[in-house]
Amino acid sequence: MGSWRPRLPGFGEGSQAAEPGGGRGPGRGVGGRGGSYYQQFPQGGHGAGYYQQRQPRGTMTSQQWQPTAPAGGYLDHGQTSSGVQPPHYYGGGRGGRGAGPSAIASELRQAMDNISSPEAGSPELSPRAPTMEITDQLKDMSVQDESIVQAFPVPSNSYKFPHRPGNGSIGTRCLVKANHFFAELPDKDLHQYDVSITPEVTSRIVSRSVMEELVRLHKVSYLGGRLPAYDGRKSLYTAGPLPFTSKEFHITLLEEDDGSGLERRQKTFKVVIKFAARADLHRLEQFIAGRQAEAPQEALQVLDIVLRELPTARYVPFGRLFFSPNLGRRRSLGEGLESWRGFYQSIRPTQMGLSLNIDMSATAFFEPLPVLDFVAQLLNTDIHSRLLSDAERVKIKKALRGVKVEVTHRGNMRRKYRIAGLTSQATRELTFPVDQGGTMKSVVQYFQETYGFAIQHTYLPCLQVGNHQRPNYLPMEVCKIVEGQRYSKRLSKSQIRALLEETCQRPHDRERDIIQMVNHNSYHEDPYAKEFGIKISERLASVEARILPAPRLKYNETGREKDCLPRVGQWNMMNKKMVNGGRVRSWMCVNFARNVQESIVSGFCRELARMCQASGMDFALEPILPPMHAHPDQVERALKARFHDALNMLGPQRKELDLLIGILPDNNGSLYGDLKRVCEIDLGLVSQCCCAKQVFKMNKQILANLALKINVKVGGRNTVLVDAVSRRIPLVTDRPTIIFGADVTHPHPGEDSSPSIAAVVASQDWPEVTKYAGLVSAQSHRQELIEDLYKVTHVPQRGTIYGGMIRELLISFKKSTGQKPQRLIFYRDGVSEGQFYQVLLHELDAIRKACASLEANYQPQVTFIVVQKRHHTRLFAHNHNDQNAVDRSGNILPGTVVDSKICHPTEFDFFLCSHAGIKGTSRPAHYHVLWDENKFTADALQTLTNNLCYTYARCTRSVSIVPPAYYAHLAAFRARFYMEPDSSDSGSMASALGRGGHGQSTSRSTRAAAGGAVRPLPVLKDSVKSVMFYC
């Protein structure tokens, strides 16, 4: 938050709140594992590719749709008013996740949703933009060429999100428990005071120390006996007025005791406390009661600050999370890190009133080790008696920069320093000036003479502390890492796995721990809660829910079973054939795994081909060439050589190669990304990878999952909803409807200049709505708004070029179906509550302009829904022992929907657990409607969303978020392979352990050029643009 401080509503003239942005990170979960750990890491890594309006397999087109004049209609040619092609986009069809692909297994993935940064949807960090009095609900926004594109209404900042159209009624009613605890609204008069500390303090720890000392000294004498709540920066809050409007205090603090026995130095601060504003909580009461549309975020923030005061003093805080080594056992994660358990806490306005959301969490901390031990663990090698390589020195420097250490060579004196870097020279080579005359002394000599300490590891570099102008050198062997420092960088695969194993809890255990945490925090004894009159229930909220029925799925008429009804969120392909089998007449296999013999590869390929045939595909049993072995370091050379050999075998009259099967080592580093890049950018070839251990297993489940993925990559379709084919889906199958999914993925921590990747997918079949084409685009670093939804470019001598991802996908839909969409449903993933207005204003406007650029007065009815998984609401069965109320993992049943009590007081939102848990505690998805011209009922939207979750392409399970949003997420991550081979997970691999490893990035950086422009994505080959190659 920096120094941003809100004003309470009615706090005085001119008071208004700034609106800080909210970042987001990646993460998805098909199934159950719900251990909350707090580390940013790559999400599932298989996404989309380019799309340039071509239709080799009948799904995309180069024909365009645009007006010739203001009253124009559909055309079969031309992209722009001058016939100029627009910029190319990545694209592709439908993506998905198999039941058991990849190096963090699918059953582990849900826990990986809890990624770094404070909770995006929380009122303190992400308040909504303040709204004005409603003068006009809709505002016309002009577009860039009014002769062609007409303006259509989009929301203004005074717009109120749609009201809930009543509660849903479809499904079997039941009771569930939620980790929400009722908070009684205080009957107090809140006052806000500005705090100014001189000299200026940048550390919240120091600021809090100053204010704690002030309260200790002057609570009774000058503060009227009040116990204020302090935000650590510029604001102080009290329950009632202080006896002054402005007062100056002088507070003296002693420096931390460093054990030297010397007298500690004092530092005096001038603190000025000045009355800023006052307010009652009437507006908050009105909002909860539904009589006011806009949430008074500032009032909520005050209550949040009050309830955070005590945990902040007790634990290590990070945003809304609090960690401690005493809240559960510490576990080593390897490479010098350990896990600490903790909890999340946030106060929320809900239909039942104020609610305190409590959830368990865990994150990585540095182990308080001697630096030498940390380095040995980090490098996983013996560092004694040898020089470090340049790569090792860089790795140590990255890991230790900013870490606080204490010295151990001065007896009880434990002075602390923050590491700024690492010397390039060994300790024995380091010298420094000791006087003005330039007399030099070596570090080794200095430590011997000054401290009587003989440095043993003189071949190692020194830690550099202080600034670069006056660096101080500390030998590694005299330093120890200070306890309590959170690790915020990217975790390795093994560290993620260890953290997931530590945090994964069955629902019953998680519920027990949450209740114990609430009891441990003793909110009824919290002096700050008492001071402000806040009372917290100690019982989980009991909530009415409904279990939506699973949809019936259609398969091919030639199979023994022509349709099926999933049971508890899953089914299988036994006796079924894909509803539309793809065609693979020419294919080849390249083996990069040294431990897989040629005979095993041949047998695996033969069994895979048979499985594809049995599943309904037209699949040749033999490859065009015998499987070949290639060295992992020769990916590009091997693939290109074998590809050209295959083309020579096919001859000039045959079509292109249909498929590559790649067999990879289990720990394959960046090999997976390199293979995908070469195939999709250089060769124009779709590929399916699998790990060596899956080749050895070769059971029917693995082969069936691979067949599902291969089918959609070559243009097939696995299943469709029976209700879609029979036109029984309300507001979808009655009129041509296109369903979009959109997501933005951001770089990992530490990648300061890499761009973000935006992805948009859209259905290309109607009424089935199961095939999705996708486009991706690089954009500004950590920019959440999707910049390339609609673009207008003016080119001299060429005219005006209309483009953008929405426009291209609408054109493709028209060509694929022969219809123009009359309805548009937009599922937007990853938007924090504080960005709702901003995203809606920008992206709905782009949708409107894209539609209007295609045909005058073309305005399909739009419904805009935000999909959120980065929240901390968990739902538990009312009775864990009732076998009819839980699935095999102990989680609530798939299809469980909640739209009351813990949901928004007035707006159209709901929680939906659409998937069956596998391991850990399932996390429901949260859907929030920001715009709805289609006038969905609660039942219609909840049922549509749940049913779509059964159409995910790569597995026979319902998934945890609606597939269009899922596909967009996968599309964005596939694009990173083309630019940063090491940054995405090898998501499509059929590995029970999970994803492919991560190598160090050595080339194809996505970093922006010196001028700040984002480097465009490389161009994809035409032959794979319009198929679902990223599955």
Side-chain angles (χ1 to χ4, degrees):
M1 290 191 344
S3 61
W4 172 70
R5 61 186 191 276
R7 301 278 187 183
L8 291 176
F11 263 9
E13 209 170 273
S15 66
Q16 68 184 103
E19 182 182 357
R24 81 173 284 266
R28 284 295 167 272
V30 166
R33 190 156 189 175
S36 165
Y37 81 88
Y38 219 62
Q39 165 67 29
Q40 199 154 7
F41 64 95
Q43 308 152 310
H46 18 289
Y50 310 93
Y51 156 49
Q52 287 178 298
Q53 306 285 83
R54 189 174 179 274
Q55 192 178 10
R57 291 183 173 87
T59 56
M60 304 292 281
T61 176
S62 61
Q63 295 177 314
Q64 310 301 320
W65 164 26
Q66 73 150 54
T68 54
Y74 304 97
L75 297 184
D76 290 329
H77 58 79
Q79 167 68 23
T80 70
S81 55
S82 62
V84 178
Q85 287 293 327
H88 298 299
Y89 292 88
Y90 291 89
R94 187 164 107 198
R97 171 177 298 175
S102 38
I104 307 295
S106 60
E107 63 265 23
L108 303 183
R109 288 181 183 150
Q110 179 151 351
M112 297 167 71
D113 290 344
N114 273 5
I115 50 184
S116 74
S117 87
E119 172 62 21
S122 59
E124 184 231 351
L125 294 178
S126 314
R128 279 195 197 151
T131 59
M132 305 170 289
E133 286 291 313
I134 299 179
T135 56
D136 187 3
Q137 282 287 67
L138 299 174
K139 180 172 76 174
D140 288 343
M141 299 191 71
S142 63
V143 292
Q144 296 175 341
D145 190 339
E146 292 185 356
S147 66
I148 292 180
V149 183
Q150 297 187 4
F152 292 104
V154 297
S156 70
N157 266 1
S158 63
Y159 168 72
K160 305 295 186 253
F161 297 130
H163 274 247
R164 188 182 307 280
N167 296 103
S169 59
I170 292 176
T172 305
R173 294 187 178 274
C174 64
L175 280 178
V176 296
K177 290 178 284 187
N179 59 337
H180 287 243
F181 297 82
F182 178 70
E184 190 175 318
L185 195 65
D187 184 19
K188 296 283 186 177
D189 194 13
L190 299 181
H191 286 62
Q192 179 184 9
Y193 292 83
D194 287 341
V195 174
S196 171
I197 301 177
T198 311
E200 186 177 356
V201 176
T202 57
S203 165
R204 285 196 182 199
I205 295 174
V206 176
S207 297
R208 288 189 176 277
S209 297
V210 171
M211 295 307 296
E212 285 170 9
E213 181 69 4
L214 188 152
V215 172
R216 187 185 70 81
L217 293 174
H218 303 299
K219 176 182 176 182
V220 176
S221 56
Y222 290 110
L223 302 183
R226 300 204 180 279
L227 181 63
Y230 177 50
D231 70 353
R233 292 295 187 196
K234 304 280 187 180
S235 293
L236 193 75
Y237 302 97
T238 59
L242 294 176
F244 54 82
T245 56
S246 180
K247 192 166 185 65
E248 181 177 310
F249 298 87
H250 292 270
I251 303 299
T252 300
L253 293 183
L254 293 175
E255 277 194 349
E256 185 179 357
D257 187 0
D258 60 10
S260 65
L262 300 175
E263 185 177 351
R264 290 188 283 168
R265 287 185 296 180
Q266 297 181 342
K267 189 168 186 179
T268 301
F269 299 88
K270 183 177 80 172
V271 181
V272 177
I273 299 176
K274 185 178 181 181
F275 174 73
R278 61 173 291 186
D280 57 33
L281 295 170
H282 179 67
R283 283 185 63 200
L284 183 55
E285 290 176 345
Q286 293 291 97
F287 173 73
I288 291 171
R291 292 187 288 271
Q292 177 178 312
E294 183 62 23
Q297 294 289 351
E298 297 85 356
L300 288 168
Q301 178 175 318
V302 175
L303 301 178
D304 219 40
I305 289 170
V306 170
L307 290 174
R308 284 216 314 269
E309 273 285 354
L310 197 59
T312 297
R314 286 180 175 177
Y315 311 119
V316 177
F318 180 73
R320 299 183 172 281
L321 288 145
F322 303 91
F323 299 100
S324 170
N326 303 318
L327 291 177
R329 72 186 185 96
R330 300 152 82 155
R331 170 173 174 170
S332 175
L333 302 178
E335 298 183 19
L337 302 184
E338 64 181 4
S339 65
W340 284 19
R341 288 183 62 81
F343 67 97
Y344 167 90
Q345 171 183 295
S346 175
I347 198 156
R348 315 281 304 165
T350 64
Q351 292 177 39
M352 70 177 183
L354 277 182
S355 162
L356 189 66
N357 182 199
I358 303 282
D359 192 24
M360 303 309 297
S361 186
T363 194
F365 279 76
F366 285 94
E367 282 193 70
L369 297 170
V371 170
L372 278 181
D373 293 349
F374 175 86
V375 170
Q377 284 194 32
L378 179 69
L379 302 179
N380 193 27
T381 184
D382 182 18
I383 60 171
H384 295 290
S385 305
R386 71 174 181 86
L387 293 172
L388 297 177
S389 68
D390 290 341
E392 289 173 329
R393 183 181 282 105
V394 169
K395 186 173 184 179
I396 296 168
K397 182 178 179 180
K398 284 183 176 180
L400 287 177
R401 183 185 290 140
V403 174
K404 190 179 289 187
V405 294
E406 60 183 10
V407 294
T408 59
H409 65 290
R410 302 179 68 178
N412 292 328
M413 186 176 179
R414 293 296 181 104
R415 185 160 291 172
K416 296 180 176 64
Y417 300 89
R418 195 172 295 279
I419 299 172
L422 205 64
T423 61
S424 56
Q425 299 169 284
T427 302
R428 62 191 174 207
E429 299 170 5
L430 288 171
T431 60
F432 61 95
V434 293
D435 56 33
Q436 298 294 328
T439 305
M440 304 298 288
K441 181 176 287 189
S442 72
V443 170
V444 173
Q445 182 184 1
Y446 174 80
F447 271 78
Q448 181 65 56
E449 294 177 357
T450 308
Y451 306 114
F453 185 89
I455 299 174
Q456 301 297 315
H457 306 282
T458 59
Y459 48 87
L460 294 175
C462 274
L463 302 178
Q464 190 171 309
V465 299
N467 55 45
H468 289 289
Q469 287 73 36
R470 296 191 60 189
N472 290 329
Y473 303 129
L474 292 176
M476 289 185 185
E477 62 199 81
V478 304
C479 297
K480 181 184 177 184
I481 295 173
V482 174
E483 187 178 56
Q485 298 179 81
R486 181 179 166 272
Y487 183 81
S488 59
K489 301 181 180 71
R490 187 177 173 187
L491 293 175
S492 69
K493 259 194 322 180
S494 61
Q495 289 169 337
I496 291 172
R497 188 179 296 112
L499 192 50
L500 290 175
E501 289 171 358
E502 178 66 18
T503 58
C504 176
Q505 291 180 288
R506 289 178 63 85
H508 183 270
D509 298 330
R510 192 184 192 96
E511 179 186 332
R512 178 201 64 216
D513 283 1
I514 289 171
I515 294 172
Q516 288 178 355
M517 194 72 246
V518 171
N519 293 333
H520 179 75
N521 287 341
S522 302
Y523 293 101
H524 61 282
E525 296 177 356
D526 183 337
Y528 295 94
K530 283 183 177 179
E531 173 82 9
F532 284 79
I534 303 172
K535 298 178 181 177
I536 306 296
S537 169
E538 295 184 353
R539 298 180 61 183
L540 283 83
S542 183
V543 184
E544 289 186 0
R546 290 169 290 114
I547 302 171
L548 302 178
R552 188 166 286 276
L553 302 175
K554 178 174 175 55
Y555 282 92
N556 197 286
E557 293 292 321
T558 61
R560 286 174 58 186
E561 293 184 20
K562 299 172 179 56
D563 59 32
C564 84
L565 185 64
R567 294 173 57 86
V568 197
Q570 52 191 314
W571 63 104
N572 59 53
M573 287 293 293
M574 288 180 62
N575 302 321
K576 305 175 190 67
K577 292 193 175 183
M578 297 153 175
V579 68
N580 300 116
R583 179 185 174 93
V584 177
R585 301 309 303 160
S586 54
W587 58 281
M588 66 179 187
C589 175
V590 179
N591 172 26
F592 292 97
R594 285 183 296 179
N595 61 327
V596 183
Q597 294 81 11
E598 183 179 333
S599 59
I600 295 177
V601 172
S602 298
F604 175 79
C605 289
R606 190 162 47 251
E607 290 302 314
L608 179 58
R610 287 174 178 166
M611 177 60 76
C612 289
Q613 277 193 352
S615 300
M617 295 182 65
D618 180 5
F619 202 102
L621 283 178
E622 294 296 329
I624 191 82
L625 291 169
M628 71 166 283
H629 178 272
H631 196 277
D633 293 337
Q634 305 292 326
V635 178
E636 188 165 346
R637 182 186 302 175
L639 289 177
K640 288 182 177 180
R642 200 61 169 171
F643 178 75
H644 291 300
D645 290 344
L647 292 186
N648 291 334
M649 285 289 293
L650 289 168
Q653 305 301 318
R654 299 291 298 273
K655 291 185 178 180
E656 74 269 10
L657 197 64
D658 293 320
L659 177 70
L660 165 76
I661 303 295
I663 298 173
L664 309 186
D666 295 319
N667 297 310
N668 56 73
S670 61
L671 174 59
Y672 176 86
D674 290 339
L675 184 147
K676 292 296 182 183
R677 172 183 55 82
V678 172
C679 286
E680 294 156 9
I681 292 176
D682 299 334
L683 304 181
L685 179 63
V686 294
S687 58
Q688 177 59 51
C689 295
C690 52
C691 285
K693 64 171 57 182
Q694 300 306 324
V695 175
F696 287 122
K697 279 187 181 178
M698 202 168 51
N699 60 40
K700 286 189 176 181
Q701 184 64 55
I702 291 170
L703 296 174
N705 287 340
L706 290 173
L708 291 176
K709 289 183 262 188
I710 291 170
N711 188 50
V712 295
K713 287 178 183 179
V714 299
R717 201 162 42 174
N718 294 336
T719 187
V720 296
L721 297 169
V722 168
D723 281 353
V725 179
S726 57
R727 305 287 184 97
R728 293 201 303 261
I729 302 179
L731 298 174
V732 173
T733 55
D734 58 330
R735 290 159 52 187
T737 300
I738 186 169
I739 300 180
F740 281 84
D743 191 16
V744 178
T745 63
H746 302 293
H748 299 295
E751 295 178 19
D752 297 332
S753 57
S754 297
S756 295
I757 302 291
V760 181
V761 304
S763 58
Q764 299 295 293
D765 52 350
W766 180 82
E768 295 90 348
V769 291
T770 53
K771 275 192 174 183
Y772 288 81
L775 308 175
V776 303
S777 176
Q779 61 183 39
S780 303
H781 179 74
R782 304 208 74 81
Q783 167 65 268
E784 183 58 47
L785 301 180
I786 301 177
E787 295 173 346
D788 286 345
L789 287 181
Y790 175 70
K791 298 194 336 186
V792 177
T793 308
H794 301 283
V795 180
Q797 283 94 41
R798 291 185 175 182
T800 301
I801 299 173
Y802 297 94
M805 294 188 278
I806 296 292
R807 190 178 198 275
E808 307 311 317
L809 290 167
L810 287 170
I811 291 168
S812 178
F813 180 92
K814 170 65 165 56
K815 181 62 179 179
S816 298
T817 65
Q819 311 257 14
K820 65 175 182 179
Q822 297 179 38
R823 289 198 182 95
L824 191 156
I825 301 169
F826 199 91
Y827 285 100
R828 177 64 157 91
D829 192 12
V831 180
S832 67
E833 188 176 340
Q835 295 173 308
F836 279 4
Y837 278 103
Q838 189 181 13
V839 168
L840 182 65
L841 283 167
H842 173 81
E843 296 182 5
L844 183 59
D845 183 41
I847 292 169
R848 290 293 191 219
K849 289 175 180 177
C851 293
S853 74
L854 293 166
E855 179 179 293
N857 299 315
Y858 174 52
Q859 186 181 6
Q861 294 169 311
V862 177
T863 297
F864 194 105
I865 309 151
V866 167
V867 187
Q868 295 174 308
K869 283 297 293 275
R870 292 186 61 245
H871 60 79
H872 286 268
T873 293
R874 298 291 186 275
L875 302 175
F876 304 100
H878 191 69
N879 178 4
H880 291 281
N881 296 319
D882 183 355
Q883 296 303 309
N884 295 320
V886 295
D887 61 20
R888 286 187 299 179
S889 69
N891 280 287
I892 55 175
L893 295 172
T896 301
V897 63
V898 170
D899 60 4
S900 63
K901 204 160 183 178
I902 60 171
C903 293
H904 193 280
T906 59
E907 293 170 10
F908 189 3
D909 73 326
F910 57 92
F911 290 95
L912 172 63
C913 185
S914 53
H915 64 293
I918 298 177
K919 196 173 184 180
T921 304
S922 296
R923 182 204 311 267
H926 182 233
Y927 297 88
H928 201 129
V929 180
L930 303 190
W931 184 265
D932 186 24
E933 294 171 334
N934 290 300
K935 305 300 179 188
F936 272 95
T937 64
D939 278 330
L941 186 58
Q942 291 166 9
T943 301
L944 169 65
T945 302
N946 185 59
N947 289 357
L948 287 174
C949 290
Y950 286 79
T951 65
Y952 192 60
R954 301 195 316 160
C955 60
T956 53
R957 299 179 66 92
S958 58
V959 289
S960 61
I961 62 167
V962 68
Y966 216 140
Y967 297 154
H969 166 78
L970 298 176
F973 264 80
R974 170 57 64 85
R976 290 203 182 271
F977 280 134
Y978 308 140
M979 303 175 297
E980 296 174 299
D982 67 308
S983 65
S984 293
D985 290 334
S986 55
S988 182
M989 287 189 207
S991 165
L993 280 179
R995 305 181 175 124
H998 305 286
Q1000 294 298 315
S1001 179
T1002 57
S1003 61
R1004 297 184 296 280
S1005 169
T1006 60
R1007 287 180 172 80
V1014 175
R1015 191 174 298 171
L1017 300 172
V1019 178
L1020 190 72
K1021 289 289 185 181
D1022 290 344
S1023 55
V1024 296
K1025 285 174 185 170
S1026 52
V1027 295
M1028 305 175 204
F1029 66 91
Y1030 51 82
C1031 294

